[in-house]
Amino acid sequence: MAAINWGYGISKPRAIDIDRNNLRRSDEILHEMPELQSCIGCGSCTAVCTAGNLTEFNFRKVHTLVRRGEYEGAYELMNRCMLCGKCRLVCPRGINTRGVVMLIKRKLGDF
Amino acid sequence: MKRRVVIIGGGVAGMQTALRLHAAGIGSVILEKDSATGGKLRDWHKLFPTFTPASEVLDPLRRAVGAAGIEVRTGAEVVGLDGRGAVLADGTRIDGDAVVVATGFTLFDARIKEEYGYGIYDNVLTSADVERMLNEGTLSMKNGDRPRRIAFLHCVGSRDEKVCQRHCSRVCCVTGVKQAMELKERFPEADVFNFYMDIRMFGSGYEEMYREAQVRHNVHFVRGRISEAAPTIDGRIQIKAEDTLTGRPLRMSVDMLILLVGMRANDDNRRLADSASLTLAPSGFVQPADPFLHSVESGAEGIFCVGTVTAPKNVGETLAEAAAAADAVADYLKNR
Amino acid sequence: MSFFAPFCLPFMAGAVVMFALLLVKWSTWFCGMPRADKMAVLRGLPTRKTLAAVWEVVSESLLHRRIFRINPVLGYMHASLAFGWFLLIAVGWVETVACLGLRYVPLQGHVFYKYFAATESLPHLAVFDQAMDFLLLVVLSGVALAWGKRFCSRMMGMRRTTKHVPGDRVALSALWFVFPTRLVAESITAALYGGGGFLTGGLGGVMEEYLSPLLLARLFEPVWWVYSLSLGVFFAALPFSRYMHIFTEVPLIFLRRYGVRAGDKESSGDRFRTDACSRCGICIDPCQLQSVLGIDDVQSVYFLRDRRYKMLEMKVANNCLMCGRCEAKCPVGIDLNTLRRNSRDTMRNIPDERRYDYFAGVDRSSGEGRVGYFAGCMTMLTPRTLTAMERIFAAAGEQVWWADRSGGVCCGRPLKLSGETDSARRMMDYNAGLFRKHGIATIVTSCPICLRTFREEYDLPGIEVIHHSEYIMRLIRSGRIKVGRGEEKFTYHDPCELGRGAGIYDEPREVIESLGVLVEPHSTRENSLCCGSSLANTVISDAQQLRIAEGLAAELDATGASTVVTACPLCKKAVSCAASAPVKDLSEVVAERL
Amino acid sequence: MNRRNWTDYQKEIADDRYYYARSCIRQNFFPGSERAFLNILHDDLGRDVLDDPLHTSCTGIGYHSDIVPLETIMTVVARQFSLMNDAGYENFISSCITSFGVYTEILSTWEEFPETEERTRENLFKATGREFRKPKSLAHTSDIVFHFRERIAELAQRRLVNVETGEPLRVVEHIGCHYAKIFPKSGIGGSEFPYVLAGMIESWGGECVDYPERRHCCGFGFRNYLVQANRGYSIANSHKKLESMAPYKPDFIVANCPGCAMFLDKWQYAIAEMEGTTYGQGGRGIPVLTYEEMAGLVLGYDPWELGMQMHQVDVEPLLDKMGVAYDPAAKYLGRNGKFIGQPDTAVVNCCDAIYDIKQ
């Protein structure tokens, strides 16, 4: 291939392409914790988050991305969580949020 | 002296009003523009949240109307009315002592939202199509295949400035959940995605249904509105939306796109309102005298309204309102 | 006199296998222990600790005093089997010495002395015949109780009995055969050759009367074979079964006496703990996951079993409230919570040095004072506790440094409980650094979880860590705050981490008694129930947590108190959902009466 | 596919006497196309069309790049109208989609906000002493070709059919954002299911390909291309379209807008260089035609006279398929027979380079 320096490349698409994403791990996560599907995205968890208070970590966003098959970076983001459990106390849907953090880390970290 | 009430519309609202009036010893005549009574419910499969077959509501009503000997005129389109009767399209006048407007609603025409491809792509359906096909037992893709991925789009023709339907149609959310469950039961191997702006589960048992759809049926709810639909090479439909919860655009291809069409006001509400000086709400629905104490009175003497002619309602609310309307009519006739 | 017969072989083989395996196992476990632990053992050997350990071995391994305390019937069962069998061996030894004088007798000679005494016409003494028969009867009664426990655990006052692995079943079956066959073998011997005490002799007499001598003669050798075989099978299976506890409890007692405990990381020394579990099942009953939710495969006994046989699953390890109710009752005194924690560590600890780099430079503390207040994450969600503490500090005229009022870093215990030990250390180091930086002398916290971590894990020289209940008690005692005493009835719920975890039972009670009347709930102090919201459990659902809280709330409501007081934000949240009386933090009820 | 919607969007198109406004990009990159349009209208269809040398750029590129202010562009547009008035014409036709969008937008703005029209009249008068009347009709040149598509079909020397197989050629049409996305009613068929090119393709025997990214922008996007920092985004959009159409194995792309034709053509080369992907049959790229070139081929014009040697992607495979006779030796000879120069062979012109070929 000709090595031409164009000064730019083809920008990566930002779209979440569910046709291309592999939902296997997402399905496994939902299978182990079906209650996660009942998230209505109210954002309470993120609002109280101890780690979110200090960084831009957004639990709601990360678990939603994981459910869409967007795994890249999710493990590292989940690692910002301190597992303090405040989110679990405020979730209106009664989701075991600490369990979700641990489950996502386990599935994405393969342990 | 035998009193007679003219009831315009032979759907569940009209029939129930007639039956309640009959129970109070007041006769009535039902004017139905279609060839049979039953209205929209005739084409409906099952009712939320109990999955009761629509026929289990409709058939007893129709039988009771027949048994009570209530006069039903089918093919009778009303073009004008006042407190003492209605005028039909052919010019005949039907006189009575009071008039009940139970003309119902119109389903939003999904073709207007052409970006969703209804009427263009074979496998884009409306919620009404799904009910009809479930009734006929013909629900499948156009080529007879079983869909592997289905998307529902909420709020088609509801809460949409662009098509002048600002109101919420209320029942589409729960219909979307109900149909998602029905489809999931029919096609367990299919993935079902509901694209929504808000999920409004206002009725008793609805929220439980919603959770059941999520947790037990694994229906995916994506908070984002589909912006457009396009065909793919293998005859599927590619849809685009923003996944607002992740703040990123989302796209996927589906085998079937189901548009949850909203309830809109009848086009001839304006004509009827003008002929009888009724008030219309900005949404085009008839505005009752007030929403609390006179919710079934039109404000015009001798004219009552019931059911979805005043606002989107579900079947249960409509039936209850019909009883209230009959009561108000009886009261009116007694005091006149 | 050779003291040998072919039937002895299974027994001899079994005994050799067992002792060899024990030796190999113990020495590998011991050698694999951290150096510090081994040194502690060596240093402890010549001290009084050794004597204390010997005494404990007698009282616990033989007499089972702790089980007796918890449940006398169960205690008798264990003692009759363990101590009874021990005496059978010991008295048997004395018997051979008494009969034959001081001379070498091989092991099987002692064990099967009745056989050799009969067949080789050795002397036997009636007093020993009677004594040995009595001991055999005691052991047999224990076996009978064990049978009964299998079929009806309630008889023992236990709701549940344990479920076994296949290795256990072999050993258990063999064990059940050992004493009945011994009875039969000695009885037949008595029938044929005479002798025997009231039991074997009596039964022998009955046999002689009703069975033909020919049949008895034919049965004689086979019965001794069966007895020897039972013993051999039991001994060979023992190292692979729960009966390993019989011997393993002994070194465990010594280790404990020498101050060697389970740690944050799994070590081979933990095998002395896992294998010392007798699977008595005493830990099942106090477990609220079992009693309230009917979950019956995660309790300590199953956890230790699964861990020992390397079939531990994450969902078993994670499904525990770590309330400590079972640990408080464990007759062997195994560090159940620590073992579970270090199992979680093995499963989940993935060191990541950069993980919490974002802590760098964070300091959101405010105020200045010698006393620091660390509310804790959960207290942020019980703001009334926070404002009550503010009022108390103001009333006492205390200058306070607020560590985390505008957000801080978690104490690290929740993460540690989940197994991520090394990452939790980063939080602990951060907070410890923060405390040291601000030059405080005392750190007060409202959260028992934080309290325990600060005390056990933090390196805080010169800083005293106290719970707000202790702090308030001191204020009241010293008269720095005055509270109005009324006739109101309070009940108090002991949070797990505060009571069983940190041993703070009396301070909150003293505070409450200075405000009004304290009525204790049915399960209180060391026996208090868990609220169910424990951060240690990441498996059960919110609905299940609520059911546990409802059980606790029912006990608290039953006291008829007008206010439920607790001293943990999590307990407060959990109990408030379920109790009909208002639930308040200790600080709130104090602040209301200032 | 149900095409009923296409009939919902129709517009009046004048039948004769057009005032022709050229396109900046088209006359620079596809000069043969504009020539062909004039020839077809004049010679083949016998219509009166004025190619007025006095008119200027509409300044749409500057306008969409935030360089030319609205008042200025309005005045420029007003001058074009004034020139048309002078010439005695009333039907304004534009060769460029962006110009068409600009004219439509300005006429509509004047309609909604008459004061802006007044100000424009003042500005134009101050600057040039001119006055103007608004055109009676406004159309894009493709609208005109669409208007005469059946007549062209009658005159056609060949059809959009593969002469070897007899199958209709599979054509991807690209309409250009400014044609109907700004004012759907101003485009034939609207913006969702535009019919202007599809109508030509169908009338001339081809088959229109409907693919998922059909409505997507070609990638030009003015500032997205013109600012180098954004150029990766520009090419990503073309890439997305090409990826989406490739499985349909189109025989060629026809573009409405001069910019789109240019970017869909030239980015194919850039993509091949950047990531080694070439599209089209045999890895030779998908030829990109203007609709004038398409009409010219149908009417039997010589491909080199239509300027098709100016394309990045070689058109010869398409010409072979259509059975168009051409002289390979004459490709780079100008009208006077002089050699006009030849570009280096690039990956999209060369079939022996090994690339990941997506058909």
Side-chain angles (χ1 to χ4, degrees), chain B residues 111 114-122 227-235 238 240 251, chain D residues 1-5 9 170 189 191-193 210-213 215-216 240 244 247-249:
Chain B
R111 281 179 307 195
E114 69 179 75
E115 58 267 48
Y116 303 145
Y118 182 67
I120 296 162
Y121 304 122
D122 288 337
S227 61
E228 57 176 295
T232 65
I233 186 156
D234 47 5
Q238 188 195 70
K240 293 182 184 174
R251 69 161 97 168
Chain D
M1 197 173 75
N2 184 329
R3 292 176 169 174
R4 183 171 37 181
N5 288 51
Y9 292 94
R170 300 171 63 74
S191 63
E192 294 295 334
F193 297 95
D210 197 2
Y211 64 106
E213 301 295 353
R215 290 148 203 83
H216 202 82
K240 185 190 273 185
S244 174
Y248 295 81
K249 298 180 185 168

Side-chain angles (χ1 to χ4, degrees), chain A residues 33 35 48 50-55 57 75-76 78-91 93-106 109 111, chain C residues 314 318 347-348 350 352 355-356 358-359 362 364 377-378 380-381 406-410 414-415 417-418 420 427 533-543 545 569-570 573:
Chain A
M33 206 165 266
E35 69 205 67
V48 299
T50 304
N53 194 16
L54 301 174
T55 73
F57 169 60
Y75 180 86
E76 290 70 24
M78 280 302 188
N79 251 350
R80 298 198 178 174
C81 166
M82 305 191 205
L83 222 60
C84 73
K86 280 166 83 179
C87 46
R88 184 163 190 188
L89 281 190
V90 296
C91 177
R93 304 294 265 188
I95 296 169
N96 177 357
T97 50
R98 297 176 77 238
V100 170
V101 174
M102 291 172 68
L103 177 61
I104 288 178
K105 279 172 59 176
R106 175 156 63 81
F111 58 87
Chain C
M314 220 180 246
N318 285 343
M347 289 169 158
R348 290 200 66 97
I350 294 173
D352 178 356
R355 177 162 173 192
Y356 290 117
Y358 66 85
F359 292 165
V362 172
R364 302 220 175 153
C377 301
M378 292 300 173
M380 295 298 171
L381 296 175
S406 352
V409 167
C410 169
L415 198 68
L417 288 175
S418 82
E420 303 185 40
M427 295 184 203
S533 281
S534 166
L535 290 169
N537 192 311
T538 48
V539 176
I540 59 171
S541 69
D542 272 31
Q545 288 187 335
L570 263 178
K573 280 261 176 197

Side-chain angles (χ1 to χ4, degrees), chain B residues 183-203:
Chain B
L183 263 70
K184 195 76 188 175
E185 267 165 23
R186 206 175 170 79
F187 308 114
E189 72 280 17
D191 286 324
V192 178
F193 288 76
N194 278 41
F195 287 83
Y196 70 96
M197 305 198 288
D198 278 308
I199 291 282
R200 298 181 164 184
M201 293 289 147
F202 61 96

Side-chain angles (χ1 to χ4, degrees), chain B residues 19-58:
Chain B
L19 287 170
R20 303 305 301 174
L21 285 170
H22 176 78
I26 300 165
S28 53
V29 55
I30 296 175
L31 307 178
E32 168 53 55
K33 71 175 190 305
D34 281 352
S35 57
T37 55
K40 303 279 191 303
L41 213 52
R42 274 186 298 162
D43 288 324
W44 225 253
H45 181 54
K46 282 182 178 172
L47 304 179
F48 50 75
T50 50
F51 295 91
T52 308
S55 57
E56 282 187 28
V57 173
L58 200 50

Side-chain angles (χ1 to χ4, degrees), chain C residues 219-480:
Chain C
L219 281 175
F220 177 66
E221 283 281 336
V223 166
W224 280 104
W225 268 96
V226 173
Y227 175 44
S228 166
L229 209 59
S230 303
L231 280 172
V233 168
F234 176 71
F235 288 151
L238 180 137
F240 306 101
S241 75
R242 67 193 184 114
Y243 298 101
M244 185 69 178
H245 80 270
I246 297 171
F247 294 103
T248 314
E249 194 183 350
V250 176
L252 176 65
I253 288 170
F254 280 87
L255 286 177
R256 202 164 47 222
R257 287 285 171 181
Y258 297 138
V260 177
R261 312 289 299 211
D264 285 349
K265 303 280 172 190
E266 266 191 51
S267 103
S268 77
D270 287 346
R271 287 300 304 265
F272 286 111
R273 300 175 184 96
T274 55
D275 291 46
C277 170
S278 64
R279 266 171 255 165
C280 62
I282 283 173
C283 54
I284 303 177
D285 273 359
C287 179
Q288 287 165 270
L289 295 181
Q290 189 277 125
S291 61
V292 180
L293 303 178
I295 298 171
D296 57 4
D297 54 357
V298 301
Q299 284 72 22
S300 295
V301 54
Y302 303 118
F303 160 74
L304 291 174
R305 177 196 67 190
D306 291 357
R307 174 159 159 179
R308 181 179 162 190
Y309 295 107
K310 303 201 173 8
M311 54 186 199
L312 182 61
E313 286 179 47
M314 220 180 246
K315 62 173 190 284
V316 171
N318 285 343
N319 199 354
C320 171
L321 298 162
M322 292 206 190
C323 61
R325 281 167 58 82
C326 58
E327 198 175 274
K329 291 217 161 52
C330 177
V332 191
I334 303 172
D335 307 326
L336 299 171
N337 281 350
T338 315
L339 287 176
R340 199 182 281 263
R341 255 201 312 103
N342 69 31
S343 272
R344 292 181 184 182
D345 173 272
T346 306
M347 289 169 158
R348 290 200 66 97
N349 186 55
I350 294 173
D352 178 356
E353 273 304 304
R354 303 177 45 80
R355 177 162 173 192
Y356 290 117
D357 278 356
Y358 66 85
F359 292 165
V362 172
D363 183 353
R364 302 220 175 153
S365 62
S366 57
E368 241 174 76
R370 297 288 289 158
V371 171
Y373 177 69
F374 189 90
C377 301
M378 292 300 173
T379 310
M380 295 298 171
L381 296 175
T382 55
R384 273 200 291 270
T385 307
L386 212 55
T387 48
M389 284 309 293
E390 208 165 12
R391 288 185 58 195
I392 291 168
F393 285 133
E398 193 84 82
Q399 294 295 305
V400 180
W401 169 70
W402 299 83
D404 60 345
R405 199 155 50 162
S406 352
V409 167
C410 169
C411 67
R413 185 162 174 84
L415 198 68
K416 183 166 175 169
L417 288 175
S418 82
E420 303 185 40
T421 315
D422 292 350
S423 297
R425 177 54 54 197
R426 306 258 301 160
M427 295 184 203
M428 296 170 181
D429 292 345
Y430 165 83
N431 277 322
L434 188 73
F435 296 163
R436 289 196 293 263
K437 179 176 124 190
H438 285 273
I440 50 170
T442 308
I443 183 86
V444 180
T445 178
S446 295
C447 175
I449 302 165
C450 304
L451 174 86
R452 213 178 149 189
T453 324
F454 294 166
R455 283 194 177 166
E456 294 175 8
E457 313 273 354
Y458 280 46
D459 174 28
L460 296 172
I463 301 176
E464 187 192 20
V465 177
I466 55 173
H467 187 244
H468 73 330
S469 58
E470 297 171 278
Y471 177 73
I472 294 169
M473 181 199 74
R474 291 183 195 178
L475 292 182
I476 294 174
R477 274 189 185 172
S478 64
R480 283 177 68 191

